[in-house]
């Protein structure tokens, strides 16, 4: 199954606000993410081989990622000063379960300056990274994503 179908469900559990972040996931559009980000936002994620910086690039990566999920449930949220910590559960690739956490850092105007996203388990993380690379080929540098090594008849 291709991961481009888009999340059918984006759910926020009671007590989870998430704000512009969860609304952007529900909308699955670059503009929704771009509105949430500071101009020089930094995205660090376990599905990326190196960070991505800048509103346009990060919005593109996040909007594309939001469409890979079949379901996404934000289950817990904690805030401390300028930081928001979210836990989530998702499915992608025909029902494969993914779990993760996200740390968002906001500036004084409430815009996200840094997003740190962790996916697990490893097999789902690598599949997700490779799918993002496929979907973003020619739009984001290839070396940002996992590139599976073809089976050499092992």
């Amino acid at each position: 199954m291709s991961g481009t179908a888009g999340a059918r469900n984006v759910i926020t559990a009671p007590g989870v606000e998430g704000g512009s972040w969860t609304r952007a996931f529900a909308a699955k559009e670059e503009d929704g993410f771009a509105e949430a980000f500071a101009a020089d936002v930094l995205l660090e994620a376990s599905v990326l081989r190196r960070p991505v910086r800048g509103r346009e690039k990060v919005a593109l990566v996040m909007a594309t990622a939001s469409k890979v999920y079949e379901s996404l449930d934000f289950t817990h949220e904690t805030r401390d000063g300028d930081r928001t910590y979210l836990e989530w559960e998702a499915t992608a690739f025909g029902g494969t379960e993914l779990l993760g956490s996200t740390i968002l850092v906001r500036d004084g105007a409430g815009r996200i300056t840094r997003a740190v996203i962790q996916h697990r388990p490893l097999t789902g993380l690598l599949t997700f990274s490779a799918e993002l690379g496929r979907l973003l080929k020619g739009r984001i540098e290839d070396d940002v994503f996992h590139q599976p090594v073809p089976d050499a008849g092992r």
Side-chain angles (χ1 to χ4, degrees):
M1 173 177 179
S2 173
T4 59
R8 291 187 291 269
N9 295 316
V10 175
I11 299 168
T12 55
V16 175
E17 293 177 24
S20 58
W21 183 257
T22 56
R23 284 192 304 274
F25 267 100
K28 298 181 255 333
E29 298 293 332
E30 285 178 54
D31 289 346
F33 284 101
E35 290 173 11
F37 295 146
D40 65 343
V41 62
L42 179 67
L43 173 62
E44 300 170 281
S46 57
V47 299
L48 303 177
R49 296 179 66 202
R50 62 180 170 82
V52 174
R53 182 179 292 277
R55 181 181 293 138
E56 290 79 22
K57 284 185 176 184
V58 174
L60 175 60
V61 171
M62 294 309 306
T64 303
S66 72
K67 294 171 187 167
V68 173
Y69 296 113
E70 294 160 359
S71 67
L72 178 59
D73 184 2
F74 291 97
T75 58
H76 297 89
E77 175 181 346
T78 299
R79 291 177 185 243
D80 185 20
D82 63 353
R83 285 172 166 65
T84 301
Y85 304 88
L86 295 162
E87 290 181 54
W88 48 267
E89 300 171 356
T91 58
F93 314 112
T96 298
E97 184 179 86
L98 298 167
L99 302 169
S101 57
T102 301
I103 302 169
L104 303 172
V105 181
R106 297 179 190 270
D107 63 17
R111 295 211 183 254
I112 297 168
T113 60
R114 183 174 176 221
V116 181
I117 306 170
Q118 307 300 328
H119 285 72
R120 63 185 189 278
L122 181 60
T123 52
L125 178 158
L126 294 173
T127 302
F128 200 95
S129 181
E131 179 68 359
L132 280 178
R134 185 186 72 77
L135 294 170
L136 291 168
K137 188 160 188 67
R139 298 171 70 190
I140 299 287
E141 298 85 0
D142 288 345
D143 68 338
V144 171
F145 306 102
H146 172 67
Q147 298 172 12
V149 177
D151 185 4
R154 292 184 221 188

